[in-house]
Amino acid sequence: MGFDYALVHLYYTIPPAIALTLLYRPLLTRLDVYKILFLITIAVVATTPWDSYLIHNRVWTYPANVIVGPTLFRIPAEEIFFFVIQTYNTSLLYLIISTPTFHPVYLRGETVNEGRALQKWRWLGQAILLFGILSGVHLVIKKGEGFYLGLIVVWAGPFALLLWTLAYQFLIGLPWTNTVLPIVAPTLYLWIVDTLALKRGTWVIESGTKLGWHLWDGLEIEEAVFFLATNVLIVFGLVAFDNALAILQTFPIMFPQVPGLPSPVMLVQGLLVPITKYDEQRIQGLKEALERLRKKSRSFYLASGVFQGRLRIDLVLLYSFCRVADDLVDNAGSVTEAKHWITQMNQYLNYAYLEDDKKDSYSMEAFIKATFPPSAQAALILLPTSYLSPQPLYDLLKGFETDLDFSSTGNPFPIVDESSLRIYASRVAGTVAEACIELVYHHTNAHVTKVQRQNIVQAGGQMGIALQYVNIARDITVDARISRVYLPTKWLKERNLTPEDIVKAPETPDTEVLRQRLIDEAMEIYVQARSAIELLPLEARGPMRVAVESYMEIGRVLRKPGYRIKAGRATVPKLRRLEVAWSAGVGGVATAARLAKAGFIVTVFEKNDFTGGRCSLIHHDGYRFDQGPSLLLLPHLFREAFYDLGTSLEAEGVELLKCEPNYNLWFSDGESFELSTDQARMKNEVEKWEGKDGFERYLGFLQESHRHYELSVTHVLRKNFTSLLSMARISFLLKVLALHPFESIYSRASKYFWTERLRRVFTFGSMYMGMSPFDAPGTYSLLQYTELAEGIWYPRGGFHRVIAALVKVGERLGVTYRLSTPVASVTVANGRATGVTLTTGESLSADLVVINADLVYAYNNLLPPSSTASSLSKRAASCSSISFYWALDRQVPELTTHNIFLADHYRESFDSIFKKHLIPDQPSFYVNVPSRIDPSAAPEGKDSIVVLVPVGHLLDSTGTGLSPSNPYNQDWETMVSKARATVIDTVRNRTGADIGAALVHEIVNTPMSWKETFNLDKGAILGLSHSFFNVLSFRPKTKHPKYQDLFFVGASTHPGTGVPICLAGAKITSEQVLLESGVRIPWTTAEVVGKGKGVEGVKDIDRIQTRPMVSNLHIGILVLVLVMLSLLWKGNMLEGLGEGIWR
């Protein structure tokens, strides 16, 4: 028993299979799977008897020490798997290469495509293969040294001869990239693999049966021929399959009904159809139609390659008809001739839509040939009018009539107002879109009601209008050259212009304003209609999205400030690409998924070999540690992120475990305090130290922190602060004082808690923001609220489970992750970001860049030098940490999941961190035991522990630990030793748990390693500080102030640090990108229903009633006061009269 052969698969055949699968997965269809399985089945069935014969006759052997053991007819399981994996890999490569190919145009009739001349090549191929088979028979009969080679040829030759005879047209006529490349590439690769295997003795060709010739050192000629022959058979089989499909789908008269997965019998029937029965006129018409598509519409040409079968054929024919009709009118020598062609086209439609009993296809074809030029005839004959509605086609011709009005003397500019523009766009583009959707429903098995189908068709018509508006906006200059102005005359008058002015000078500032107005109209219609794409049948949804989005990109490009149209046209890359530059932290992962959902093509570059940044895992010998965050707060922000992406935490396999109690806080005097969401438990804990009144004050603290929480979510976490004016919003100014931003958390807590012990209990959470509670704004008591009201949660499997789920969702939406790929710089040119350059020197272009790297690092290392970069380096940063990851050989039941050990000298400990940037003499620290809530974090009967000791950040960005302005040197080796000893002693003294004795393995992170691993400026683990002048409009913006198309997301930009806050920031940044790109936001931007507003659609008893502003008691008191004032006033007046005041 051995594993050599299995390792060949593990190292050489399975990795290519995985790579090819990931590459082709977005395009994989049921038909593709059927095709692959069909080929694999034939390969296994055909090869097994032959291979068994070779082994039985000891032509080749497998040493017992290289195979696992199980066999089938003496064939090792590894060899059977080889039949499968080779067929799979070669098939996938073929499918990737051949997907854009429009196979019907490669069919060859007797005259079209030189079908008759091709017969000679058929006979030549048959002769060569037959000669090879006979030669193989001779070698087999002769036996001796050519025996094995003869067996290969005798086995493979008949299959190749059969496939060549049936599919020679495609094998000769298809591009070489479709046939030769998928044979040569896998063959060369397998030759190399085989050379290594033969040298290792994984399999052996017995001497006496082989010629002894080598293609190169180590590669027997027989093995070279075998791999070449097998790949030839696989590709020949795939080509024959496609040939059969092309015949079945191209000739509906011979094959009226073709199932989505045609049977082998039907495929053979197709291949056996003689070329004399091919509809040559149809083949030629399809060739002409495809060429028109390629020349006239790059967007639709690219998109059509993803449609399948007869739907693709009919869409090509529909576009060909529209193009032919348009060309007949546009290329006419005079208006009279153009009107003549419109009349003839109407007559053609009248013929085509006669009732069946009155229709004579021969007379209609005769009419076409007698009336229209040869280049147009096939498009008219092949148009599938039998299942296309006539009205869109008649309306299309009315649109052409509008074009002719530009040449009339009475009304040379017929687009008078927006209504006439919309009618025109509806006729020339909306009609085509409606017809396309009709074809989609005809060729798919989607079950929708008549009303639903009508609504989707109408939405398609609206989308067509949007696309035509973009077309008009792009071609203002081109149209002006032929004296056409499609901008409404009414719009022109508003800017004191006439159509004649546009014809004379089409490129003026006023024209640009009108262009933008038209594009805005297009985008508005597009946004309203876009959701209908998702209601289309699955097989048409993706291709239709490609067709629409590739055209709408023109509009987005035109909206960019300063964009110049070249030669009258807007140019757009084939694929609008978005590069999310470094790194795959929480904000980057969430932003990537959101932008991918909006239709962007996203690539994420990550410096490390894992995603999540600090929110990642460390593994050691069965122990698991959360490298950064270890508790999940604000769970609704996590749920919202997944909901916006069309899924949920539960659907992605993320299970949240509630931690109860929240924390155990341990004091040096032996006392402890349990923080919990259980109000009964909290009542006992608070009253233990502050009496009955203490709990009432605690409820007051909760009320204030709740207000901080709700106001922050509404006015900060869901809003972008793009300038100082953003803080001048009335809604924000009215609430700002209620957030207590100018008081510290400690001072606010002191108003409610009268003992130093509880003041510390309810303020230590500022460490989450990397700040001292004596400096952190009072607003951040919201963290205590979310812990006490919503609880603390832990994802089973570690915090990274949430990030991994977001990565998986993003990849499903098309995001590409490139790990271990550091970015050297962001490329900028002409005032905008244009891509990134990797440390390898590779440059990649992009339409925009989003940076999730540490913001200070990014400004100073990824972007050109600037004053902004220098000023950011001088801003106050958050603290760093010495983090220990300890593996224990036993459990420590004295510790709960989350434990806080508070220093006796509370204020002094924070001063040491934030002013001296050292470790305090007696630090406060946090101990997390993930195995307490999730046993999978450690081997059975053992514990994993994470200890976070807050310390000062590095004194400068170089990480030397020295600074002329700071007299304290940072000796990290000494500080780590001090921290380790302090933690072990403190835990033992306060809880009785001797974790030092149980410690078997240690991993440490210091400010230096935080900086080196994650490029954190100064090793500050939470980015920039959150003091008042480092938040809101004062915090670095989500968009670069100088460079267009460059955005930021993460801890040091708005809204701030922490995983849930970065998720909120990802939404803010994503929406800013989409708004500036003119792309519809594909998720709701509203607050969750039910927050104080009741729930719609429920019983009246459950509705939240609005309390009257003035109660009956208030009204009674007001009336009483008014009566008393009235009496007093009358008394004073009478008294005045008596004294002679009133005269």
Side-chain angles (χ1 to χ4, degrees), residues 79-138:
E79 180 76 353
I80 298 292
F81 181 75
F82 186 85
F83 303 158
V84 175
I85 199 73
Q86 181 191 359
T87 307
Y88 180 80
N89 286 345
T90 303
S91 297
L92 269 184
L93 180 61
Y94 171 86
L95 290 172
I96 291 169
I97 293 170
S98 64
T99 291
T101 304
F102 189 49
H103 288 104
V105 301
Y106 291 97
L107 292 170
R108 311 215 175 193
E110 276 197 296
T111 57
V112 71
N113 288 341
E114 301 178 341
R116 185 176 297 169
L118 215 61
Q119 294 278 12
K120 299 175 183 177
W121 292 101
R122 177 190 187 186
W123 298 330
L124 178 61
Q126 289 172 330
I128 293 172
L129 289 169
L130 190 58
F131 175 77
I133 294 170
L134 293 174
S135 300
V137 170
H138 172 72

Side-chain angles (χ1 to χ4, degrees), residues 571-594:
T571 57
V572 182
K574 288 184 179 179
L575 294 175
R576 180 176 178 90
R577 296 179 295 127
L578 170 74
E579 310 288 349
V580 177
W582 203 25
S583 61
V586 176
V589 167
T591 303
R594 286 181 176 276

Side-chain angles (χ1 to χ4, degrees), residues 1114-1140:
H1114 292 142
I1115 294 172
I1117 293 173
L1118 180 63
V1119 170
L1120 182 62
V1121 169
L1122 289 174
V1123 169
M1124 293 179 65
L1125 289 173
S1126 175
L1127 292 174
L1128 287 171
W1129 178 75
K1130 287 182 179 180
N1132 288 334
M1133 183 177 67
L1134 292 172
E1135 183 179 351
L1137 286 171
E1139 293 176 353

Side-chain angles (χ1 to χ4, degrees), residues 302-318:
L302 292 171
S304 71
V306 194
F307 286 99
Q308 297 285 320
R310 286 185 176 171
L311 173 58
R312 182 180 184 183
I313 291 173
D314 281 348
L315 287 172
V316 170
L317 291 175
L318 173 63

